[in-house]
Amino acid sequence: MMRTVSAVSDYSDLPEYPIPAGERLEAHSFFKMHHVQLLESDFFKSCKSRDDWDVIGLALALWGKAQLQDPVATLPVEPRRQAWMMDMPLERWEGYLRRDPSPLYGWSRCRILGTGEIRLMHKTLTDVALEALNWKNHNLDRREAERERQALSRLRKSVADLVSERLAGDRRYIVTLHRWLEDTYPHGNRSVARILEGMEALGTTEYRR
């Protein structure tokens, strides 16, 4: 794990956080816990040797709180905002920050893409968040592909019923018509009138079965 947070005088030297502002994980109700890495870390061993179990608990609570932040898996740098997140008086929180190690062990400053805001990041949590985002994007792509497949199937049937089976079997034509309808009528039903309008816009003259 990284070393504890330290003062940074030149913000231009800070790394850019790889997840931009506004990127959220709405369904992110849990995150992957690398428990072996935690149990073998200097942080855990040091807290254990000092009997500082409350610091470990607060650190894990921060990991969970960070999942609800924007961007995901970051924390504000201001102790006042951190104390508010942890629902405790500032003086008490600052007392924990003076512990060695503190609950912020492993967190370091970074710049947020798009806003330039300075926040805290944790390498382990960043890697977990990036993996979760990759899965989110993969699932979105898969759902979009299935939505398009169903739309093309319905459009193919409509063209077959309205015009001809031969034209409906022309995959390139159906995809082109689908894109025209998506661009022209991104919302709303694909009525017969709209489908015929699209076919006319594409210069379709064959209206025989």
Side-chain angles (χ1 to χ4, degrees):
M1 291 186 177
M2 295 183 292
R3 300 171 64 182
T4 191
V5 176
S6 59
V8 178
S9 59
D10 186 0
Y11 290 160
S12 64
D13 291 339
L14 292 177
E16 286 189 335
Y17 191 63
I19 303 174
E23 185 68 72
R24 305 294 297 274
L25 289 169
E26 293 82 1
H28 196 45
S29 60
F30 68 94
F31 65 95
K32 183 183 293 185
M33 169 65 74
H34 295 278
H35 60 279
V36 174
Q37 182 178 352
L38 172 64
L39 296 176
E40 294 298 323
S41 68
D42 292 339
F43 168 70
F44 185 87
K45 292 177 179 178
S46 180
C47 288
K48 179 181 177 182
S49 66
R50 296 169 182 268
D51 206 27
D52 278 343
W53 297 103
D54 50 349
V55 171
I56 295 176
L58 288 170
L60 292 177
L62 280 174
W63 289 14
K65 294 280 189 179
Q67 308 307 310
L68 305 176
Q69 294 291 296
D70 184 12
V72 63
T74 65
L75 292 175
V77 297
E78 302 86 357
R80 175 183 56 81
R81 294 175 62 190
Q82 297 164 5
W84 181 83
M85 285 177 54
M86 301 304 289
D87 195 23
M88 69 173 61
L90 176 59
E91 290 185 2
R92 183 182 177 190
W93 177 245
E94 289 178 331
Y96 282 115
L97 295 184
R98 287 191 291 270
R99 300 272 190 95
D100 185 20
S102 82
L104 286 179
Y105 185 93
W107 293 86
S108 61
R109 298 192 181 207
C110 63
R111 287 185 293 113
I112 304 302
L113 291 169
T115 67
E117 180 186 3
I118 307 304
R119 291 182 67 83
L120 301 180
M121 64 176 288
H122 191 294
K123 184 179 184 306
T124 299
L125 295 187
T126 301
D127 291 343
V128 169
L130 286 171
E131 183 178 353
L133 280 171
N134 286 336
W135 273 107
K136 171 189 172 182
N137 293 332
H138 172 74
N139 289 334
L140 287 175
D141 289 344
R142 186 171 59 184
R143 287 198 296 269
E144 177 60 25
E146 177 60 19
R147 186 194 71 82
E148 183 177 67
R149 186 192 68 79
Q150 293 179 4
L152 290 172
S153 178
R154 290 192 296 268
L155 183 58
R156 190 178 299 112
K157 185 178 185 304
S158 295
V159 171
D161 292 340
L162 290 170
V163 185
S164 74
E165 293 281 354
R166 188 187 68 80
L167 195 59
D170 186 338
R171 178 171 176 79
R172 182 172 181 177
Y173 176 81
I174 294 298
V175 170
T176 302
L177 179 58
H178 167 72
R179 290 175 178 171
W180 186 93
L181 290 167
E182 286 277 282
D183 293 339
T184 309
Y185 298 107
H187 306 291
N189 295 326
R190 293 184 171 183
S191 64
V192 170
R194 288 178 176 179
I195 293 174
L196 290 175
E197 179 187 351
M199 296 176 70
E200 291 176 358
L202 296 179
T204 304
T205 58
E206 181 184 347
Y207 282 81
R208 297 185 304 276
R209 293 183 179 274

mmCIF file of all heavy atoms in Angstrom, residues 144-174:
data_model
loop_
_atom_site.group_PDB
_atom_site.id
_atom_site.type_symbol
_atom_site.label_atom_id
_atom_site.label_comp_id
_atom_site.label_asym_id
_atom_site.label_seq_id
_atom_site.Cartn_x
_atom_site.Cartn_y
_atom_site.Cartn_z
ATOM 1 N N GLU A 144 -27.021 -2.849 -24.908
ATOM 2 C CA GLU A 144 -27.275 -2.058 -26.112
ATOM 3 C C GLU A 144 -27.287 -2.936 -27.353
ATOM 4 O O GLU A 144 -28.116 -2.747 -28.255
ATOM 5 C CB GLU A 144 -26.210 -0.963 -26.251
ATOM 6 C CG GLU A 144 -26.323 -0.115 -27.505
ATOM 7 C CD GLU A 144 -27.649 0.625 -27.609
ATOM 8 O OE1 GLU A 144 -28.273 0.882 -26.554
ATOM 9 O OE2 GLU A 144 -28.052 0.951 -28.748
ATOM 10 N N ALA A 145 -26.384 -3.905 -27.391
ATOM 11 C CA ALA A 145 -26.346 -4.824 -28.528
ATOM 12 C C ALA A 145 -27.633 -5.645 -28.604
ATOM 13 O O ALA A 145 -28.179 -5.871 -29.690
ATOM 14 C CB ALA A 145 -25.130 -5.744 -28.414
ATOM 15 N N GLU A 146 -28.139 -6.088 -27.447
ATOM 16 C CA GLU A 146 -29.383 -6.857 -27.426
ATOM 17 C C GLU A 146 -30.574 -5.978 -27.816
ATOM 18 O O GLU A 146 -31.470 -6.422 -28.539
ATOM 19 C CB GLU A 146 -29.605 -7.454 -26.033
ATOM 20 C CG GLU A 146 -30.905 -8.228 -25.860
ATOM 21 C CD GLU A 146 -31.044 -9.410 -26.799
ATOM 22 O OE1 GLU A 146 -30.016 -9.868 -27.345
ATOM 23 O OE2 GLU A 146 -32.181 -9.893 -26.983
ATOM 24 N N ARG A 147 -30.570 -4.724 -27.355
ATOM 25 C CA ARG A 147 -31.652 -3.808 -27.724
ATOM 26 C C ARG A 147 -31.673 -3.586 -29.232
ATOM 27 O O ARG A 147 -32.735 -3.594 -29.867
ATOM 28 C CB ARG A 147 -31.462 -2.467 -27.009
ATOM 29 C CG ARG A 147 -32.614 -1.480 -27.218
ATOM 30 C CD ARG A 147 -32.243 -0.084 -26.784
ATOM 31 N NE ARG A 147 -31.281 0.504 -27.698
ATOM 32 C CZ ARG A 147 -31.611 1.083 -28.856
ATOM 33 N NH1 ARG A 147 -32.883 1.125 -29.245
ATOM 34 N NH2 ARG A 147 -30.682 1.596 -29.632
ATOM 35 N N GLU A 148 -30.479 -3.402 -29.817
ATOM 36 C CA GLU A 148 -30.403 -3.185 -31.257
ATOM 37 C C GLU A 148 -30.835 -4.443 -32.017
ATOM 38 O O GLU A 148 -31.525 -4.348 -33.041
ATOM 39 C CB GLU A 148 -28.988 -2.789 -31.660
ATOM 40 C CG GLU A 148 -28.845 -2.479 -33.141
ATOM 41 C CD GLU A 148 -27.456 -2.015 -33.497
ATOM 42 O OE1 GLU A 148 -26.514 -2.842 -33.392
ATOM 43 O OE2 GLU A 148 -27.292 -0.848 -33.882
ATOM 44 N N ARG A 149 -30.444 -5.614 -31.527
ATOM 45 C CA ARG A 149 -30.826 -6.860 -32.192
ATOM 46 C C ARG A 149 -32.340 -7.004 -32.241
ATOM 47 O O ARG A 149 -32.915 -7.365 -33.286
ATOM 48 C CB ARG A 149 -30.213 -8.058 -31.459
ATOM 49 C CG ARG A 149 -30.444 -9.396 -32.164
ATOM 50 C CD ARG A 149 -30.095 -10.562 -31.265
ATOM 51 N NE ARG A 149 -31.021 -10.672 -30.146
ATOM 52 C CZ ARG A 149 -32.241 -11.199 -30.236
ATOM 53 N NH1 ARG A 149 -32.690 -11.651 -31.395
ATOM 54 N NH2 ARG A 149 -33.016 -11.268 -29.169
ATOM 55 N N GLN A 150 -33.002 -6.702 -31.130
ATOM 56 C CA GLN A 150 -34.446 -6.803 -31.086
ATOM 57 C C GLN A 150 -35.102 -5.764 -31.990
ATOM 58 O O GLN A 150 -36.108 -6.057 -32.659
ATOM 59 C CB GLN A 150 -34.938 -6.642 -29.652
ATOM 60 C CG GLN A 150 -34.524 -7.785 -28.720
ATOM 61 C CD GLN A 150 -35.016 -7.590 -27.304
ATOM 62 O OE1 GLN A 150 -35.723 -6.636 -27.012
ATOM 63 N NE2 GLN A 150 -34.633 -8.490 -26.417
ATOM 64 N N ALA A 151 -34.549 -4.541 -32.015
ATOM 65 C CA ALA A 151 -35.107 -3.490 -32.872
ATOM 66 C C ALA A 151 -34.985 -3.860 -34.341
ATOM 67 O O ALA A 151 -35.914 -3.640 -35.134
ATOM 68 C CB ALA A 151 -34.397 -2.157 -32.593
ATOM 69 N N LEU A 152 -33.846 -4.423 -34.727
ATOM 70 C CA LEU A 152 -33.660 -4.843 -36.115
ATOM 71 C C LEU A 152 -34.609 -5.974 -36.485
ATOM 72 O O LEU A 152 -35.139 -6.011 -37.606
ATOM 73 C CB LEU A 152 -32.207 -5.284 -36.338
ATOM 74 C CG LEU A 152 -31.158 -4.171 -36.321
ATOM 75 C CD1 LEU A 152 -29.752 -4.769 -36.348
ATOM 76 C CD2 LEU A 152 -31.350 -3.217 -37.484
ATOM 77 N N SER A 153 -34.829 -6.882 -35.566
ATOM 78 C CA SER A 153 -35.737 -8.000 -35.822
ATOM 79 C C SER A 153 -37.155 -7.492 -36.050
ATOM 80 O O SER A 153 -37.852 -7.936 -36.980
ATOM 81 C CB SER A 153 -35.703 -8.979 -34.646
ATOM 82 O OG SER A 153 -36.608 -10.037 -34.853
ATOM 83 N N ARG A 154 -37.599 -6.561 -35.203
ATOM 84 C CA ARG A 154 -38.950 -6.001 -35.369
ATOM 85 C C ARG A 154 -39.057 -5.215 -36.668
ATOM 86 O O ARG A 154 -40.077 -5.288 -37.371
ATOM 87 C CB ARG A 154 -39.297 -5.115 -34.172
ATOM 88 C CG ARG A 154 -39.507 -5.877 -32.870
ATOM 89 C CD ARG A 154 -40.118 -4.996 -31.810
ATOM 90 N NE ARG A 154 -39.226 -3.896 -31.450
ATOM 91 C CZ ARG A 154 -38.345 -3.951 -30.453
ATOM 92 N NH1 ARG A 154 -38.233 -5.063 -29.728
ATOM 93 N NH2 ARG A 154 -37.577 -2.922 -30.178
ATOM 94 N N LEU A 155 -38.000 -4.453 -36.996
ATOM 95 C CA LEU A 155 -38.029 -3.657 -38.218
ATOM 96 C C LEU A 155 -38.046 -4.557 -39.446
ATOM 97 O O LEU A 155 -38.754 -4.273 -40.428
ATOM 98 C CB LEU A 155 -36.816 -2.719 -38.250
ATOM 99 C CG LEU A 155 -36.731 -1.750 -39.426
ATOM 100 C CD1 LEU A 155 -37.967 -0.859 -39.488
ATOM 101 C CD2 LEU A 155 -35.456 -0.909 -39.338
ATOM 102 N N ARG A 156 -37.287 -5.616 -39.400
ATOM 103 C CA ARG A 156 -37.254 -6.570 -40.513
ATOM 104 C C ARG A 156 -38.653 -7.158 -40.755
ATOM 105 O O ARG A 156 -39.108 -7.279 -41.903
ATOM 106 C CB ARG A 156 -36.241 -7.674 -40.216
ATOM 107 C CG ARG A 156 -35.951 -8.601 -41.401
ATOM 108 C CD ARG A 156 -34.900 -9.632 -41.028
ATOM 109 N NE ARG A 156 -33.632 -9.006 -40.655
ATOM 110 C CZ ARG A 156 -33.122 -9.010 -39.420
ATOM 111 N NH1 ARG A 156 -33.790 -9.598 -38.427
ATOM 112 N NH2 ARG A 156 -31.984 -8.425 -39.168
ATOM 113 N N LYS A 157 -39.347 -7.493 -39.688
ATOM 114 C CA LYS A 157 -40.703 -8.036 -39.815
ATOM 115 C C LYS A 157 -41.655 -6.988 -40.393
ATOM 116 O O LYS A 157 -42.514 -7.301 -41.235
ATOM 117 C CB LYS A 157 -41.198 -8.512 -38.451
ATOM 118 C CG LYS A 157 -42.563 -9.205 -38.493
ATOM 119 C CD LYS A 157 -42.957 -9.699 -37.118
ATOM 120 C CE LYS A 157 -44.258 -10.504 -37.182
ATOM 121 N NZ LYS A 157 -45.362 -9.748 -37.777
ATOM 122 N N SER A 158 -41.507 -5.734 -39.934
ATOM 123 C CA SER A 158 -42.382 -4.671 -40.431
ATOM 124 C C SER A 158 -42.178 -4.449 -41.920
ATOM 125 O O SER A 158 -43.150 -4.297 -42.676
ATOM 126 C CB SER A 158 -42.118 -3.372 -39.660
ATOM 127 O OG SER A 158 -42.467 -3.502 -38.299
ATOM 128 N N VAL A 159 -40.909 -4.440 -42.351
ATOM 129 C CA VAL A 159 -40.626 -4.242 -43.772
ATOM 130 C C VAL A 159 -41.168 -5.405 -44.583
ATOM 131 O O VAL A 159 -41.719 -5.217 -45.680
ATOM 132 C CB VAL A 159 -39.106 -4.059 -43.995
ATOM 133 C CG1 VAL A 159 -38.767 -4.070 -45.487
ATOM 134 C CG2 VAL A 159 -38.637 -2.751 -43.360
ATOM 135 N N ALA A 160 -41.054 -6.603 -44.060
ATOM 136 C CA ALA A 160 -41.574 -7.778 -44.765
ATOM 137 C C ALA A 160 -43.090 -7.688 -44.904
ATOM 138 O O ALA A 160 -43.650 -7.999 -45.960
ATOM 139 C CB ALA A 160 -41.180 -9.047 -44.031
ATOM 140 N N ASP A 161 -43.774 -7.237 -43.851
ATOM 141 C CA ASP A 161 -45.230 -7.135 -43.893
ATOM 142 C C ASP A 161 -45.692 -5.988 -44.784
ATOM 143 O O ASP A 161 -46.705 -6.105 -45.490
ATOM 144 C CB ASP A 161 -45.789 -6.927 -42.482
ATOM 145 C CG ASP A 161 -45.615 -8.160 -41.597
ATOM 146 O OD1 ASP A 161 -45.419 -9.260 -42.152
ATOM 147 O OD2 ASP A 161 -45.666 -8.009 -40.361
ATOM 148 N N LEU A 162 -44.929 -4.887 -44.787
ATOM 149 C CA LEU A 162 -45.355 -3.698 -45.527
ATOM 150 C C LEU A 162 -44.959 -3.739 -46.998
ATOM 151 O O LEU A 162 -45.708 -3.265 -47.866
ATOM 152 C CB LEU A 162 -44.744 -2.445 -44.884
ATOM 153 C CG LEU A 162 -45.286 -2.044 -43.511
ATOM 154 C CD1 LEU A 162 -44.412 -0.949 -42.907
ATOM 155 C CD2 LEU A 162 -46.718 -1.567 -43.630
ATOM 156 N N VAL A 163 -43.775 -4.271 -47.273
ATOM 157 C CA VAL A 163 -43.229 -4.162 -48.630
ATOM 158 C C VAL A 163 -42.915 -5.524 -49.229
ATOM 159 O O VAL A 163 -43.640 -6.019 -50.087
ATOM 160 C CB VAL A 163 -41.970 -3.263 -48.641
ATOM 161 C CG1 VAL A 163 -41.474 -3.063 -50.062
ATOM 162 C CG2 VAL A 163 -42.274 -1.920 -47.990
ATOM 163 N N SER A 164 -41.821 -6.150 -48.810
ATOM 164 C CA SER A 164 -41.442 -7.423 -49.425
ATOM 165 C C SER A 164 -40.498 -8.206 -48.541
ATOM 166 O O SER A 164 -39.721 -7.630 -47.775
ATOM 167 C CB SER A 164 -40.780 -7.191 -50.788
ATOM 168 O OG SER A 164 -39.470 -6.690 -50.623
ATOM 169 N N GLU A 165 -40.579 -9.510 -48.649
ATOM 170 C CA GLU A 165 -39.664 -10.388 -47.930
ATOM 171 C C GLU A 165 -38.233 -10.185 -48.432
ATOM 172 O O GLU A 165 -37.282 -10.254 -47.659
ATOM 173 C CB GLU A 165 -40.087 -11.848 -48.127
ATOM 174 C CG GLU A 165 -41.416 -12.210 -47.489
ATOM 175 C CD GLU A 165 -41.306 -12.432 -45.995
ATOM 176 O OE1 GLU A 165 -40.163 -12.411 -45.477
ATOM 177 O OE2 GLU A 165 -42.355 -12.599 -45.350
ATOM 178 N N ARG A 166 -38.090 -9.956 -49.736
ATOM 179 C CA ARG A 166 -36.746 -9.799 -50.308
ATOM 180 C C ARG A 166 -36.029 -8.585 -49.715
ATOM 181 O O ARG A 166 -34.870 -8.660 -49.316
ATOM 182 C CB ARG A 166 -36.828 -9.649 -51.826
ATOM 183 C CG ARG A 166 -35.443 -9.686 -52.516
ATOM 184 C CD ARG A 166 -35.535 -9.367 -53.974
ATOM 185 N NE ARG A 166 -35.903 -7.967 -54.183
ATOM 186 C CZ ARG A 166 -35.006 -6.965 -54.086
ATOM 187 N NH1 ARG A 166 -33.769 -7.217 -53.749
ATOM 188 N NH2 ARG A 166 -35.408 -5.734 -54.307
ATOM 189 N N LEU A 167 -36.748 -7.464 -49.632
ATOM 190 C CA LEU A 167 -36.141 -6.260 -49.071
ATOM 191 C C LEU A 167 -35.850 -6.442 -47.585
ATOM 192 O O LEU A 167 -34.831 -5.990 -47.078
ATOM 193 C CB LEU A 167 -37.065 -5.063 -49.286
ATOM 194 C CG LEU A 167 -36.442 -3.668 -49.087
ATOM 195 C CD1 LEU A 167 -35.263 -3.463 -50.030
ATOM 196 C CD2 LEU A 167 -37.496 -2.586 -49.278
ATOM 197 N N ALA A 168 -36.746 -7.125 -46.893
ATOM 198 C CA ALA A 168 -36.541 -7.371 -45.466
ATOM 199 C C ALA A 168 -35.321 -8.247 -45.222
ATOM 200 O O ALA A 168 -34.700 -8.185 -44.155
ATOM 201 C CB ALA A 168 -37.781 -8.020 -44.859
ATOM 202 N N GLY A 169 -34.954 -9.062 -46.218
ATOM 203 C CA GLY A 169 -33.795 -9.932 -46.066
ATOM 204 C C GLY A 169 -32.476 -9.256 -46.353
ATOM 205 O O GLY A 169 -31.416 -9.856 -46.167
ATOM 206 N N ASP A 170 -32.525 -7.988 -46.794
ATOM 207 C CA ASP A 170 -31.306 -7.232 -47.084
ATOM 208 C C ASP A 170 -30.819 -6.600 -45.777
ATOM 209 O O ASP A 170 -31.293 -5.548 -45.363
ATOM 210 C CB ASP A 170 -31.596 -6.160 -48.130
ATOM 211 C CG ASP A 170 -30.332 -5.426 -48.579
ATOM 212 O OD1 ASP A 170 -29.338 -5.430 -47.822
ATOM 213 O OD2 ASP A 170 -30.357 -4.833 -49.679
ATOM 214 N N ARG A 171 -29.869 -7.266 -45.115
ATOM 215 C CA ARG A 171 -29.424 -6.822 -43.791
ATOM 216 C C ARG A 171 -28.854 -5.396 -43.838
ATOM 217 O O ARG A 171 -29.117 -4.591 -42.945
ATOM 218 C CB ARG A 171 -28.374 -7.779 -43.233
ATOM 219 C CG ARG A 171 -27.828 -7.343 -41.879
ATOM 220 C CD ARG A 171 -26.952 -8.384 -41.235
ATOM 221 N NE ARG A 171 -26.373 -7.893 -40.003
ATOM 222 C CZ ARG A 171 -27.005 -7.818 -38.846
ATOM 223 N NH1 ARG A 171 -28.255 -8.227 -38.761
ATOM 224 N NH2 ARG A 171 -26.403 -7.349 -37.770
ATOM 225 N N ARG A 172 -28.089 -5.094 -44.867
ATOM 226 C CA ARG A 172 -27.497 -3.761 -44.949
ATOM 227 C C ARG A 172 -28.595 -2.698 -45.038
ATOM 228 O O ARG A 172 -28.492 -1.641 -44.420
ATOM 229 C CB ARG A 172 -26.571 -3.671 -46.152
ATOM 230 C CG ARG A 172 -25.860 -2.331 -46.289
ATOM 231 C CD ARG A 172 -24.820 -2.377 -47.363
ATOM 232 N NE ARG A 172 -24.118 -1.102 -47.477
ATOM 233 C CZ ARG A 172 -23.104 -0.872 -48.318
ATOM 234 N NH1 ARG A 172 -22.674 -1.857 -49.112
ATOM 235 N NH2 ARG A 172 -22.533 0.308 -48.358
ATOM 236 N N TYR A 173 -29.627 -2.981 -45.815
ATOM 237 C CA TYR A 173 -30.721 -2.026 -45.953
ATOM 238 C C TYR A 173 -31.448 -1.845 -44.619
ATOM 239 O O TYR A 173 -31.754 -0.709 -44.212
ATOM 240 C CB TYR A 173 -31.711 -2.490 -47.024
ATOM 241 C CG TYR A 173 -32.915 -1.584 -47.127
ATOM 242 C CD1 TYR A 173 -32.844 -0.392 -47.839
ATOM 243 C CD2 TYR A 173 -34.110 -1.906 -46.486
ATOM 244 C CE1 TYR A 173 -33.945 0.454 -47.911
ATOM 245 C CE2 TYR A 173 -35.205 -1.063 -46.555
ATOM 246 C CZ TYR A 173 -35.109 0.120 -47.267
ATOM 247 O OH TYR A 173 -36.192 0.972 -47.330
ATOM 248 N N ILE A 174 -31.725 -2.936 -43.933
ATOM 249 C CA ILE A 174 -32.430 -2.862 -42.651
ATOM 250 C C ILE A 174 -31.626 -2.067 -41.626
ATOM 251 O O ILE A 174 -32.167 -1.240 -40.883
ATOM 252 C CB ILE A 174 -32.741 -4.280 -42.112
ATOM 253 C CG1 ILE A 174 -33.738 -4.986 -43.039
ATOM 254 C CG2 ILE A 174 -33.290 -4.217 -40.693
ATOM 255 C CD1 ILE A 174 -35.082 -4.291 -43.138
#
